[in-house]
Amino acid sequence: MDHQETTRPNNFIQQIISEDLKNNKNNGQVHTRFPPEPNGFLHIGHAKSICLNFTLAEQNSGVCNLRFDDTNPEKESQEFIDAIQEDIRWLGFQWEGEVRYTSSYFQALYDYAVELIQKGKAYVCSLNAEQAREYRGTLTEPGKNSPYRERSVEENLDLFERMRRGEFAEGEHALRAKIDMASPNMNMRDPIIYRIRKVDHHQTGDEWCVYPMYDFAHGLSDAIEGITHSICTLEFEDHRPLYDWFLDQLDVPCHPQQIEFARLNVNYTVTSKRKLKQLVDEQVVDGWDDPRMPTIAGMRRRGFTPRAIRNFCEATGVTKSEGVVDVGMLEHALRDDLNKHAPRAMGVLHPLKVVITNYPEDQVEQLTAPVHPQDESMGTRTLPFARELFIDVEDFKEQANKKFKRLVLGKEVRLRNAYVIRCDDVIKNQAGEIIELRCSYDPETLGKDPEGRKVKGVIHWVSAEHSLSAEVRLYDRLFDEASPDSNKERDFKAFLNKSSLQVLAECRLEASLAEAKPGQAYQFEREGYFCLDSKEGSKDHLVFNRTITLRDTWAKIANEAG
Ligand code: ATP
Ligand code: MG
């Protein structure tokens, strides 16, 4: 992809890496990884982690792995594995070598667990869930040692082996690390490292009925892959002592360094996978890739560009303290990129017929217009001009003051990239609604002002005969409340924006849009940015999505309210 229009970022993680490189730590290698769990689609928060991990690798001549952290088979699926890979590629990143799976290390992880048992650092515990909770203690009280803590190495090895063979029921036994039940850090109170789960796995089938816990599997998988810097979000800070503990006890190929940063939170947006899944399952939205979803697939379908998302992630910086980013910043990154790169077109969303009475009936002129007014290299497009046109209902008034710089009965306006017309007559139906305008054009005004008059207003139009009929979906923010998921009394779904989708069934678009590719955003002049929907619609029934309005109408509402 063409590169971001930014400089090389120098965040606190880059500073750590630079220092490590200076000291020739890890033999001067940088190896990061992005470790999604395949239990949902990636969202804007993941995009931040992807950009960070891949960019740090790239700018330090290193590499970045993609590893599916697949230790919870019940919630995971191949659908998510495929979608995640597509999203990362679309963002413009390429992982090192093959895709990796924690599940392909299940045997190695099992062997490490056996090694821990042999070293007297792990034991099979047979407390049930309720007892285990009691023994665990609280934040203010130490826990108690499990009565099974002193089982012999032989007994532990035997029980663990039999757990693996499927001799016990779920919950009957678990393998626990033997650390410190009095530790002020709850994560260190003999955490479970293996539990019995009698379920099939999407990668390993029925080969296993014991599965490793995240904290055990993660650091060891990092070590197996030779990861140098294991970057994760702040909630894992308290898990770092455990991450290091496993690596210190075991004979591992290397000891990666875990570094935490603050997760990205965006207002007016929900990024909990569980809640996004709920919106999908309850059909509040049309799937994970609904154009209103903060998922990468949704944003792609909406018309976002990878560059806009990458620039946004870059602009939000990398910090150690949690904060909330205004969604306006994401929208700004999008507008900024589309304004620079999106081809221009004309689309009439609420068509009103205009007949140019002094234009010859069979005549059609092929007018030319730039694809982008500031970028000649994007070339030109052809606009057929004929006697019957459409303009937008909102661009006409029978009477108006000078502030209304559009078409008024008896007055003139310029048709963008075409002629100046004057409205001579208004045709109404029996209900008194305007159904057609009779206008005349001035043939001397193509690309120049009429003699002796200034025409200030410019409106967009399309030829009635040559334009394409289309459905246009006007998308807006999915939530109309800044923090939909932090309200204690009301469920996040209470804050869904009821007008997040408005469908316009009868729009008319410039003929050149017949060539539009799904996901490629166009600026419909004076209206906003739109792209052909990738999922619905066909050649005979075009469907366009509004990516974003030209201006931030939410900021205006907030300003007026404040
Ligand atoms: P789950 O609740 O399912 O664990 P998760 O958001 O942590 O959700 P993962 O698939 O485990 O999902 O995330 C993959 C990587 O993306 C992790 O390293 C995680 O820290 C990072 N990540 C997830 N959400 C964000 C976010 N909002 N900002 C930055 N990084 C994130
Ligand atoms: Mg996670």
Side-chain angles (χ1 to χ4, degrees):
M1 68 179 276
D2 29 346
H3 230 277
Q4 298 176 76
E5 289 134 9
T6 47
T7 50
R8 176 188 151 134
N10 190 18
N11 51 59
F12 82 92
I13 304 181
Q14 177 57 52
Q15 284 161 16
I16 294 174
I17 293 179
S18 297
E19 193 60 27
D20 289 347
L21 289 174
K22 210 166 75 195
N23 298 328
N24 202 34
K25 194 177 162 189
N26 310 307
N27 299 318
Q29 302 293 308
V30 174
H31 201 152
T32 57
R33 87 286 172 263
F34 174 64
E37 180 175 0
N39 61 353
F41 274 51
L42 298 179
H43 55 61
I44 186 70
H46 295 113
K48 169 122 191 183
S49 176
I50 293 169
C51 289
L52 184 59
N53 278 294
F54 281 92
T55 306
L56 282 171
E58 214 166 81
Q59 69 187 13
N60 292 289
S61 311
V63 288
C64 180
N65 289 359
L66 169 61
R67 181 200 317 143
F68 286 105
D69 212 326
D70 56 347
T71 54
N72 268 316
E74 296 103 315
K75 293 187 177 160
E76 300 163 359
S77 78
Q78 190 62 40
E79 179 202 2
F80 299 136
I81 290 176
D82 296 339
I84 287 170
Q85 294 181 56
E86 187 183 350
D87 290 347
I88 298 172
R89 274 197 223 100
W90 178 76
L91 280 175
F93 296 109
Q94 186 54 58
W95 50 89
E96 164 74 0
E98 297 288 301
V99 171
R100 335 255 162 157
Y101 297 87
T102 300
S103 57
S104 58
Y105 312 136
F106 279 169
Q107 184 61 49
L109 294 169
Y110 181 86
D111 294 342
Y112 280 127
V114 169
E115 185 185 334
L116 270 188
I117 296 173
Q118 283 164 340
K119 289 180 165 159
K121 301 285 187 180
Y123 61 96
V124 173
C125 181
S126 312
L127 293 176
N128 64 32
E130 196 186 320
Q131 292 165 325
R133 210 171 307 119
E134 258 168 52
Y135 274 80
R136 199 158 176 248
T138 64
L139 282 173
T140 49
E141 280 169 60
K144 285 185 299 185
N145 284 351
S146 160
Y148 305 99
R149 203 172 196 262
E150 300 310 326
R151 273 179 168 151
S152 70
V153 169
E154 289 65 36
E155 190 182 1
N156 284 320
L157 286 174
D158 175 62
L159 285 170
F160 189 46
E161 164 74 31
R162 288 163 59 199
M163 277 168 67
R164 176 190 182 158
R165 274 201 249 116
E167 290 184 23
F168 306 113
E170 287 188 8
E172 213 175 321
H173 303 288
L175 185 69
R176 294 176 70 177
K178 196 176 193 174
I179 310 180
D180 178 9
M181 287 308 291
S183 172
N185 183 341
M186 302 284 281
N187 296 307
M188 302 299 275
R189 293 186 187 171
D190 292 10
I192 293 182
I193 57 182
Y194 262 91
R195 60 194 173 135
I196 302 170
R197 302 297 287 131
K198 301 216 162 165
V199 286
D200 279 5
H201 188 283
H202 48 96
Q203 301 300 314
T204 57
D206 62 2
E207 199 183 332
W208 294 89
C209 64
V210 289
Y211 290 99
M213 302 300 285
Y214 174 89
D215 280 326
F216 180 70
H218 198 85
L220 290 169
S221 302
D222 282 345
I224 291 169
E225 291 179 9
I227 300 303
T228 56
H229 300 85
S230 176
I231 297 158
C232 63
T233 39
L234 277 183
E235 66 271 24
F236 290 102
E237 198 165 18
D238 285 349
H239 297 239
R240 184 167 9 109
L242 183 55
Y243 182 100
D244 288 330
W245 188 87
F246 288 125
L247 296 176
D248 288 338
Q249 308 310 313
L250 292 161
D251 184 18
V252 287
C254 67
H255 189 137
Q257 181 184 1
Q258 176 179 308
I259 305 170
E260 309 87 18
F261 73 101
R263 65 194 297 116
L264 173 69
N265 300 305
V266 183
N267 66 7
Y268 292 94
T269 308
V270 162
T271 48
S272 145
K273 264 195 253 177
R274 188 176 56 77
K275 288 178 181 160
L276 294 177
K277 183 170 172 358
Q278 208 180 324
L279 295 177
V280 173
D281 290 347
E282 294 173 15
Q283 297 178 9
V284 174
V285 295
D286 166 36
W288 286 96
D289 64 351
D290 184 296
R292 291 164 296 180
M293 290 281 270
T295 53
I296 296 176
M299 292 190 285
R300 174 168 64 237
R301 193 171 159 202
R302 173 92 171 240
F304 273 75
T305 59
R307 194 171 37 220
I309 295 174
R310 288 171 64 154
N311 286 348
F312 166 74
C313 291
E314 193 64 63
T316 54
V318 183
T319 66
K320 267 279 189 192
S321 56
E322 292 273 352
V324 180
V325 172
D326 185 31
V327 72
M329 200 168 150
L330 175 62
E331 295 168 349
H332 171 78
L334 177 61
R335 281 194 189 94
D336 187 50
D337 186 50
L338 294 180
N339 181 40
K340 283 187 199 136
H341 303 288
R344 271 44 175 179
M346 291 196 280
V348 175
L349 302 189
H350 314 94
L352 171 62
K353 193 166 197 181
V354 168
V355 178
I356 312 286
T357 51
N358 62 339
Y359 197 85
E361 247 174 71
D362 322 318
Q363 186 171 313
V364 179
E365 274 172 276
Q366 302 295 339
L367 305 180
T368 346
V371 171
H372 193 296
Q374 278 93 46
D375 185 352
E376 269 182 35
S377 72
M378 291 176 74
T380 58
R381 62 195 214 262
T382 302
L383 302 172
F385 187 87
R387 182 180 158 92
E388 298 198 349
L389 311 173
F390 288 115
I391 65 167
D392 198 285
V393 168
E394 300 194 349
D395 284 336
F396 175 75
K397 277 188 181 169
E398 290 186 82
Q399 291 179 318
N401 63 22
K402 284 214 167 66
K403 276 196 192 153
F404 186 76
K405 292 207 173 44
R406 308 177 213 176
L407 185 60
V408 177
L409 180 58
K411 304 249 167 67
E412 292 186 310
V413 79
R414 172 170 292 283
L415 296 179
R416 181 134 177 99
N417 300 306
Y419 298 98
V420 169
I421 59 168
R422 187 183 62 232
C423 180
D424 305 314
D425 204 1
V426 175
I427 311 233
K428 296 181 179 173
N429 64 12
Q430 284 181 335
E433 297 156 341
I434 300 171
I435 51 166
E436 192 178 304
L437 302 179
R438 294 290 163 106
C439 298
S440 46
Y441 88 119
D442 180 343
E444 299 306 313
T445 55
L446 186 61
K448 55 179 193 245
D449 272 333
E451 282 226 6
R453 328 193 282 283
K454 265 245 167 300
V455 176
K456 284 224 182 93
V458 183
I459 63 173
H460 58 282
W461 58 279
V462 293
S463 154
E465 184 195 339
H466 303 91
S467 58
L468 312 165
S469 160
E471 175 182 323
V472 173
R473 298 175 179 171
L474 302 181
Y475 290 108
D476 202 349
R477 293 180 185 172
L478 187 53
F479 295 96
D480 51 17
E481 161 68 37
S483 39
D485 57 357
S486 57
N487 190 295
K488 297 220 160 49
E489 274 114 62
R490 294 167 75 191
D491 182 63
F492 75 105
K493 283 182 293 172
F495 304 105
L496 283 162
N497 174 9
K498 290 188 185 60
S499 24
S500 64
L501 170 59
Q502 192 194 338
V503 177
L504 304 176
E506 299 285 345
C507 304
R508 305 292 310 191
L509 309 182
E510 159 181 336
S512 72
L513 289 168
E515 307 303 319
K517 303 242 170 351
Q520 159 74 58
Y522 288 81
Q523 185 191 94
F524 287 4
E525 299 186 69
R526 301 181 62 239
E527 288 290 359
Y529 297 95
F530 296 79
C531 73
L532 186 66
D533 188 65
S534 56
K535 233 172 136 180
E536 285 157 27
S538 63
K539 271 240 166 308
D540 308 318
H541 178 71
L542 296 175
V543 175
F544 274 78
N545 298 325
R546 182 171 72 195
T547 311
I548 189 100
T549 52
L550 284 178
R551 273 169 288 278
D552 184 352
T553 51
W554 286 82
K556 194 162 159 263
I557 293 165
N559 284 340
E560 281 163 8

